């Protein structure tokens, strides 16, 4: 190698090195739109899980005795507590529940891998599970992943004379339109044969991170349509309250690492609940 070639190669190597250093320095400030891949994105393995699990619930409904007592588990904030989540699934499977409701925060950061790892654990439930989106599930492009994997952010289903409404309440992660009270009102206007209504939203309307402009409208609808139980997560602890002194009970369940969840029992129009420790 002659001296000219040697100098050229050293210059080229320096330029390559400087280029890579400049790329690494600029990377944290770069827009995600400049790249074809983002850590929140990617094709999900599991799709339309809400519709799939609701179909399983409706199939059970057709064989469910007319006057039978309904039992369902309410869990929330399972995050990445995988060991505790496995134990919770095992405990729920030891009990006779028709289905499981999840109050949100399936993940910590809204990553695809977190959603899929969590589903692989929750899919071990003997009963179908139905979710609402939590604030952690909205991080980055988490809301898009949630919709691809589970389905709409607001949705509902009925089981016998019971209606279950799932409402996106993550105001800070979206905008002032959240929660969608028009949707809630339409869904609460159920047929006369629906005697029990349940609303599942990650954040309760009186919480400091809920939309303050819609708190009273939310509470008014709950009272107007006599909701049997308002189910929430987010605070990682179990509470039972009537914050508006209107006869409507707002219940939150603990996070999975607290090693408990709530069992709800419905007999006719009587609704009871108890904390299950595992």
């Amino acid at each position: 190698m002659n001296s000219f070639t040697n100098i050229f190669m050293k210059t080229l190597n320096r330029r390559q090195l400087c280029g890579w250093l400049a790329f690494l320095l600029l990377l944290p400030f770069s827009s995600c739109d400049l790249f074809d891949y983002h850590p929140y994105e990617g094709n999900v393995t599991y799709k339309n899980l809400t519709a799939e699990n609701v179909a399983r619930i409706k199939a059970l409904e057709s064989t469910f005795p007319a006057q039978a007592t309904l039992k369902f588990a309410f869990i929330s904030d399972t995050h990445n507590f995988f060991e505790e989540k496995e134990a919770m699934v095992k405990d729920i499977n030891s009990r006779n529940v028709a289905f499981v409701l999840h109050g949100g925060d399936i993940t910590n950061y809204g990553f695809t891998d977190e959603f899929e790892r969590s589903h692989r654990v929750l899919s071990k439930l003997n009963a179908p599970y139905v979710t609402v989106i939590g604030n952690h599930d909205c991080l980055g492009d988490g809301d898009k992943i949630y919709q691809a994997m589970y389905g709409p952010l607001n949705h509902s289903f009925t089981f016998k004379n019971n209606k279950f409404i799932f409402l996106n309440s993550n105001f800070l992660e979206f905008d002032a339109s959240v929660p969608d009270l028009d949707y809630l009102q339409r869904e609460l206007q159920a047929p006369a044969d629906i005697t029990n209504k349940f609303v599942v939203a990650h954040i309760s309307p009186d919480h400091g991170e809920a939309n303050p402009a819609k708190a009273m409208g939310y509470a008014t609808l709950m009272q107007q349509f006599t909701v049997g139980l308002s189910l929430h997560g987010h605070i990682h602890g179990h509470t039972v309250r009537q914050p508006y002194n209107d006869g409507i009970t707002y219940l939150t369940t603990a996070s999975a690492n607290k090693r408990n969840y709530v069992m709800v029992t419905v007999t006719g129009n009587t609704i009871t609940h108890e904390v299950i420790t595992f």
Side-chain angles (χ1 to χ4, degrees):
M1 182 180 295
N2 60 38
S3 59
F4 175 80
T5 303
N6 193 31
I7 293 170
F8 175 78
M9 292 301 295
K10 288 181 178 179
T11 302
L12 180 61
N13 289 339
R14 283 199 296 271
R15 286 176 178 172
Q16 289 175 328
L17 178 61
C18 289
W20 277 108
L21 287 173
F23 173 78
L24 292 173
L25 287 171
L26 290 172
L27 184 59
F29 306 100
S30 300
S31 168
C32 297
D33 294 334
L34 296 176
F35 301 95
D36 290 332
Y37 174 77
H38 184 278
Y40 289 97
E41 295 177 344
N43 293 324
V44 293
T45 303
Y46 311 101
K47 297 181 180 181
N48 301 317
L49 292 175
T50 297
E52 177 184 313
N53 282 322
V54 168
R56 290 176 59 194
I57 292 171
K58 299 303 285 185
L60 171 65
E61 180 183 37
S62 64
T63 63
F64 204 78
Q67 304 302 319
T69 293
L70 168 67
K71 286 192 174 185
F72 65 88
F74 177 53
I75 66 176
S76 189
D77 298 87
T78 52
H79 290 286
N80 290 345
F81 305 125
F82 288 104
E83 181 179 346
E84 294 88 345
K85 194 160 22 182
E86 292 272 7
M88 182 168 61
V89 166
K90 184 177 180 180
D91 187 86
I92 293 173
N93 284 344
S94 71
R95 303 172 190 274
N96 184 26
V97 301
F99 46 82
V100 178
L101 307 185
H102 194 304
D105 278 1
I106 303 163
T107 69
N108 273 350
Y109 305 108
F111 287 120
T112 302
D113 180 64
E114 290 180 295
F115 277 109
E116 294 190 340
R117 287 184 65 198
S118 289
H119 171 64
R120 284 194 287 271
V121 176
L122 294 172
S123 66
K124 296 176 184 177
L125 287 162
N126 294 335
Y129 77 98
V130 184
T131 68
V132 74
I133 193 168
N135 62 306
H136 281 258
D137 304 324
C138 303
L139 297 178
D141 284 334
D143 61 315
K144 298 180 181 66
I145 297 168
Y146 178 93
Q147 290 175 84
M149 188 165 167
Y150 286 98
L153 303 183
N154 298 319
H155 59 96
S156 69
F157 72 88
T158 60
F159 186 89
K160 293 296 185 181
N161 63 327
N162 307 288
K163 185 164 189 178
F164 300 86
I165 303 166
F166 298 78
L167 190 67
N168 173 23
S169 58
N170 302 294
F171 157 64
L172 295 180
E173 287 71 29
F174 286 86
D175 54 40
S177 67
V178 173
D180 186 342
L181 296 188
D182 290 336
Y183 174 84
L184 180 60
Q185 182 172 10
R186 288 195 304 271
E187 292 297 315
L188 286 172
Q189 291 172 337
D193 61 340
I194 298 295
T195 55
N196 302 311
K197 304 182 187 77
F198 302 85
V199 177
V200 185
H202 184 63
I203 301 174
S204 63
D206 64 320
H207 190 277
E209 294 178 15
N211 187 343
K214 294 198 173 189
M216 288 311 301
Y218 190 120
T220 299
L221 288 174
M222 301 292 276
Q223 182 185 31
Q224 178 184 347
F225 292 98
T226 320
V227 171
L229 202 57
S230 189
L231 298 167
H232 307 279
H234 191 57
I235 65 172
H236 290 210
H238 173 68
T239 65
V240 180
R241 304 171 300 120
Q242 291 192 6
Y244 300 100
N245 298 315
D246 56 3
I248 305 301
T249 299
Y250 291 73
L251 180 151
T252 64
T253 191
S255 51
N257 64 319
K258 302 296 177 61
R259 301 187 71 90
N260 62 70
Y261 61 91
V262 171
M263 183 73 71
V264 180
T265 302
V266 184
T267 305
N269 60 0
T270 300
I271 304 167
T272 60
H273 48 83
E274 63 176 318
V275 175
I276 304 295
T277 302
F278 60 92

